[in-house]
């Protein structure tokens, strides 16, 4: 088993413990904010407050899913981790192109250079600039995972090149590729494509699957190949109830895929209690959703699998 890279250094897989596998806890005000005002989490005292509550509820680690050049706050993530004691695995890679300015380098940088950039962020340190011009100021804070985004239009145009760079970076570093799956996109074609590029199925995590794909057969097809699914439509009642979420998880556990499921909240500013008193907060799974799982017949052992053992195996 290899070490897991956090913003404060490498840790052994068993040190990960309770981990939510797709969160946002720091996000500077930029193009993401212009697209959606909830995509700005720039008051660090509030981020710290959320992480401290998470820690005292039993949370130990999170994966931060904001990639380079896209309002990521690498230095702040390290400080938040040191101050809160929560381990943070940061992301390199790319997001949906709508989150970048029109003339951004992510749209044009040739694949070999893009691959090198992702690899440098994973092996040396993340850049602290790059939201507008090509990144030049590198920190020694390493990213631990490669974020990607599969938009509605699928593997067309620039996305084919971006996924190729992510796949090459993963092959060179053995780091996991996490994939934002947009509602309405069919991720089976992408999985096949990435497997053909030589990525191991267990190095792929398909995110937001509980709201992106309504057809459970798609979930099973992805799982059958050995990849992980991440669910985060928890406490998001405009999409569906927690009861619906629990039923979906239960069906996949019954189908034999308990070792390939992880969960999170995919927080935005709107979902953090430090900003909005009635929001769910980063500790919602620990305070509310896990007790609901137990009440519906899930065992402690299964919950430990979803929240700690699976993330540790996935990342290592
Ligand atoms: Zn996200």
């Amino acid at each position: 088993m290899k070490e897991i890279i956090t913003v404060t250094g490498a840790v052994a897989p068993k040190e990960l413990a309770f981990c939510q596998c797709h969160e946002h806890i720091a996000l500077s005000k930029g193009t993401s904010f212009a697209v959606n005002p909830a995509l700005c989490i720039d008051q660090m005292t509030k981020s710290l407050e959320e992480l401290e509550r998470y820690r005292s509820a039993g949370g130990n680690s999170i994966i931060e899913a904001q990639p380079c050049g896209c309002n990521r706050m690498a230095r702040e993530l390290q400080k938040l981790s040191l101050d809160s004691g929560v381990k943070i695995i940061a992301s390199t890679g790319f997001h949906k192109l709508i989150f970048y300015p029109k003339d951004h380098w992510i749209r044009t940088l040739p694949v070999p250079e893009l691959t090198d950039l992702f690899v440098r962020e994973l092996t040396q340190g993340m850049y602290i600039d790059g939201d507008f011009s090509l990144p030049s100021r590198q920190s020694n804070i390493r990213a631990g995972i490669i974020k990607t985004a599969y938009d509605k239009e699928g593997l067309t145009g620039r996305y084919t090149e971006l996924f190729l760079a992510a796949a090459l970076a993963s092959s060179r570093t053995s780091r996991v590729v996490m994939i934002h799956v947009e509602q309405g996109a069919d991720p089976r074609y992408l999985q096949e494509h990435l497997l053909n590029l030589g990525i191991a199925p267990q190095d792929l995590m398909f995110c937001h699957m509980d709201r992106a794909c309504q057809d459970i057969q798609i979930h099973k097809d992805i799982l059958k190949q050995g990849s992980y699914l991440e669910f985060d439509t928890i406490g998001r009642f405009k999409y569906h109830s927690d009861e619906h979420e629990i039923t979906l998880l239960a069906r996949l556990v019954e189908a034999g895929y308990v070792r390939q499921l992880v969960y999170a909240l995919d927080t935005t500013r709107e979902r953090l209690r430090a900003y909005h008193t009635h929001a769910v907060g980063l500790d919602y799974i620990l305070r509310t959703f896990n007790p609901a799982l137990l009440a519906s017949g899930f065992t402690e052992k299964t919950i430990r699998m979803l929240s700690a053992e699976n993330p540790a195996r996935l990342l290592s």
Side-chain angles (χ1 to χ4, degrees), residues 22 24 65 95 147 208 266:
H22 186 129
H24 301 274
H95 209 329
K147 165 76 176 274
H208 321 314
D266 190 14

Side-chain angles (χ1 to χ4, degrees), residues 39-51:
L39 302 181
C40 171
I41 306 171
D42 60 353
Q43 295 180 41
M44 293 304 107
T45 51
K46 292 186 188 290
S47 299
L48 182 59
E49 186 185 323
E50 289 287 338
L51 287 166

